[in-house]
Amino acid sequence: MRNRVRKNLELNNSKKLFIEAQKHLVGGVNSPVRAFKGVGGTPIFMARGKGAYLIDVDGNRYIDLVGSWGPLILGHVSLDVLNHVRRILRKGFTFGAPSALETELAVLVKKAYTSIDKVRFVSSGTEATLSALRLARGATGKKKIIKFEGCYHGHGDSFLVSAGSGAATLGLPDSPGVPEELASLTISLPYNDIKAVEDAFTRFDDIAGVIVEPVVGNMGLVPPKPGFLQGLRDITSKHNAILIFDEVMTGFRIAYGGAQELYGIKADLTTLGKIIGGGLPVGAYGGREDLMSQVAPEGPIYQAGTLSGNPAAMAAGIATLKKLNDDQLYKKLEESAAFVEEGIKRAIQKTGVEAVFQRVGSMATLFFCGHPVENYSQAKDADRKKYSTFFWAMAQRGVYFPPSQFEAAFFSAALSANDLKKIVRSAHESLQVLQEA
Ligand SMILES: *Cc1c(COP(=O)(O)O)cnc(C)c1O
């Protein structure tokens, strides 16, 4: 069976809306990667989401493999989440005072993460990583931080040094506006290179901590090499530095307990976001009692937020995590993603297009290059023109892939067997388009 191909994907309404948006919003968007600079053309404006699908303002329907960049592991408009949020919203939008919902979500997070004794909720992943870094510095009295090239930890000043995600897509890994004095405190090393980390600890004595995406999603999907995460654990323990696992993307995604469950390693501090908000704005950081107790009001390290832990966001998170606390669900996600992986790998072989498909659980990337990608400099070898052709060929076939080579695709639990077959069929045809080009 051939796919229905929309040769000229009709995007007239998106085009009009984008022209209007650019008059009033910077670049017409509120987060750079949405502007489609990575693939060219007009960003597709969405009208609604339903289960596994997105419907755009021109009425085109797509199988959604972006999932709002990670949060929507249950698909769009999960009824359990919607109903719970609705019930809670009736009682108030925000109190600026404690509510029981915050404790309820904290308990759920702690059940998934045995490394977390106490949690602080914030409103975004960026806020979580900024706060975790402040805590690492405050607790150790040291200043430097190690991060890895191509990893993205939100847009905090200290992290916009060799940053991944949208910064990589736009070729702006080091942002103007970050003072040199501050940037000089960030040591950026190649991912998967434990020797480089050892050397850095030998050279510098004031390293407060190491922050890492335990599985990288923000330079495209790059898994940790065996021993890399354990190596980070050992070195940071030896040097009394804080190990921060940034699980904003991997938390409740690659396993219920994230990378720490999957790889059996405990971080000192963990940052979370995306899925724990179920589609509403939530972030969190948490960790060992002795560290977290240094945060205000228990301790002197200041951090606060007007809408932190607000009832609607907590309710969305609670309903999402309750739904996810189900081994069968992760088994199904693994099977879905594995089915697509096998199909795409077959299509790569048949078409002879130079490409590699990398995956951990329900996160994956198709890199257009001839070798596995282990770090950012290898990710940059990938052919972004080919990626862009592939992206639009998929869109014409009704599959919405990430609009950047440096972003992971996300599978949701809402995908049906037919959706999965359609993804594989579309990928095969899209690779044929590249073969013919
Ligand atoms: C998305 C992301 C962030 C930033 O989260 P925001 O909610 O966009 O601020 C931080 N770290 C990682 C690993 C992410 O994927």
Side-chain angles (χ1 to χ4, degrees):
M1 186 176 64
R2 286 286 287 188
N3 253 332
R4 196 167 64 89
V5 182
R6 291 166 288 205
K7 276 272 179 273
N8 293 305
L9 183 62
E10 169 95 47
L11 294 174
N12 287 341
N13 290 333
S14 277
K15 284 179 187 152
K16 278 186 216 145
L17 288 172
F18 190 47
I19 289 168
E20 194 58 22
Q22 286 175 95
K23 294 182 200 159
H24 309 291
L25 297 165
V26 181
V29 295
N30 283 303
S31 197
V33 75
R34 297 179 199 165
F36 275 33
K37 298 275 189 202
V39 289
T42 305
I44 304 173
F45 277 59
M46 297 303 173
R48 53 194 291 254
K50 187 170 194 287
Y53 311 109
L54 273 171
I55 294 101
D56 75 12
V57 289
D58 290 282
N60 302 303
R61 193 181 83 156
Y62 310 86
I63 296 174
D64 182 12
L65 290 179
V66 177
S68 193
W69 306 99
L72 299 182
I73 192 166
L74 296 174
H76 292 271
V77 200
S78 153
L79 284 182
D80 299 277
V81 179
L82 176 67
N83 289 335
H84 194 44
V85 172
R86 224 184 226 158
R87 266 197 304 277
I88 297 296
L89 271 175
R90 283 216 180 87
K91 299 185 200 168
F93 298 170
T94 173
F95 304 131
S99 79
L101 293 164
E102 297 157 74
T103 308
E104 192 181 348
L105 185 56
V107 169
L108 287 170
V109 168
K110 282 182 56 177
K111 275 202 183 124
Y113 279 87
T114 52
S115 65
I116 297 181
D117 297 323
K118 272 191 183 149
V119 188
R120 167 62 57 84
F121 289 112
V122 292
S123 296
S124 70
T126 292
E127 234 187 304
T129 54
L130 285 176
S131 311
L133 174 58
R134 182 179 304 138
L135 174 52
R137 283 177 168 152
T140 58
K142 297 188 260 190
K143 286 185 185 161
K144 289 199 164 69
I145 177 88
I146 291 179
K147 78 174 281 288
F148 297 94
E149 292 158 9
C151 283
Y152 180 69
H153 304 292
H155 64 82
D157 284 350
S158 295
F159 303 127
L160 289 181
V161 178
S162 303
S165 189
T169 303
L170 296 177
L172 302 169
D174 309 291
S175 176
V178 177
E180 264 168 60
E181 291 83 348
L182 192 60
S184 72
L185 298 176
T186 301
I187 303 165
S188 192
L189 303 175
Y191 191 75
N192 270 327
D193 186 344
I194 201 67
K195 176 78 172 36
V197 180
E198 271 163 13
D199 290 349
F201 273 99
T202 317
R203 270 185 64 199
F204 304 104
D205 56 11
D206 62 342
I207 299 172
V210 175
I211 186 166
V212 65
E213 283 184 73
V215 171
V216 190
N218 286 298
M219 52 173 129
L221 189 283
V222 176
K225 285 208 282 198
F228 179 62
L229 298 176
Q230 186 61 53
L232 294 180
R233 179 63 286 177
D234 296 343
I235 296 170
T236 45
S237 297
K238 185 173 143 198
H239 293 274
N240 289 321
I242 306 296
L243 180 60
I244 307 172
F245 271 14
D246 181 357
E247 297 224 46
V248 169
M249 195 178 265
T250 53
F252 298 93
R253 165 61 67 180
I254 57 177
Y256 192 65
Q260 297 181 50
E261 177 186 322
L262 195 63
Y263 298 100
I265 292 167
K266 284 187 183 187
D268 300 310
L269 291 176
T270 302
T271 52
L272 295 164
K274 299 194 169 113
I275 288 176
I276 59 159
L280 295 192
V282 183
Y285 63 107
R288 285 201 329 260
E289 173 76 38
D290 63 298
L291 289 172
M292 293 306 290
S293 65
Q294 300 185 49
V295 175
E298 279 184 49
I301 299 170
Y302 197 70
Q303 188 272 309
T306 301
L307 292 177
S308 296
N310 79 85
M314 294 296 103
I318 290 164
T320 301
L321 296 201
K322 279 191 176 161
K323 193 87 184 155
L324 287 176
N325 194 359
D326 171 1
D327 291 342
Q328 287 306 313
L329 190 140
Y330 285 92
K331 194 163 159 263
K332 183 184 167 219
L333 276 168
E334 171 64 29
E335 286 166 1
S336 298
F339 175 87
V340 170
E341 174 176 10
E342 282 160 31
I344 292 187
K345 283 185 169 166
R346 258 196 321 273
I348 291 171
Q349 264 186 347
K350 279 194 191 147
T351 56
V353 173
E354 196 167 76
V356 288
F357 190 85
Q358 303 199 159
R359 179 179 76 84
V360 174
S362 56
M363 294 167 61
T365 295
L366 180 61
F367 284 106
F368 288 96
C369 60
H371 51 76
V373 173
E374 293 179 351
N375 57 40
Y376 186 45
S377 79
Q378 291 174 343
K380 283 193 295 190
D381 288 345
D383 187 332
R384 293 160 70 177
K385 260 177 88 178
K386 280 190 189 156
Y387 187 88
S388 140
T389 305
F390 178 82
F391 168 83
W392 283 109
M394 291 294 270
Q396 284 172 343
R397 287 163 179 79
V399 181
Y400 189 69
F401 230 65
S404 165
Q405 174 74 91
F406 301 121
E407 300 284 359
F410 296 95
F411 294 79
S412 81
L415 291 161
S416 70
N418 275 337
D419 296 330
L420 299 171
K421 284 185 203 151
K422 181 171 163 145
I423 295 166
V424 170
R425 198 160 61 231
S426 303
H428 192 165
E429 290 177 10
S430 300
L431 288 169
Q432 279 170 338
V433 170
L434 277 170
Q435 187 187 21
E436 287 153 16

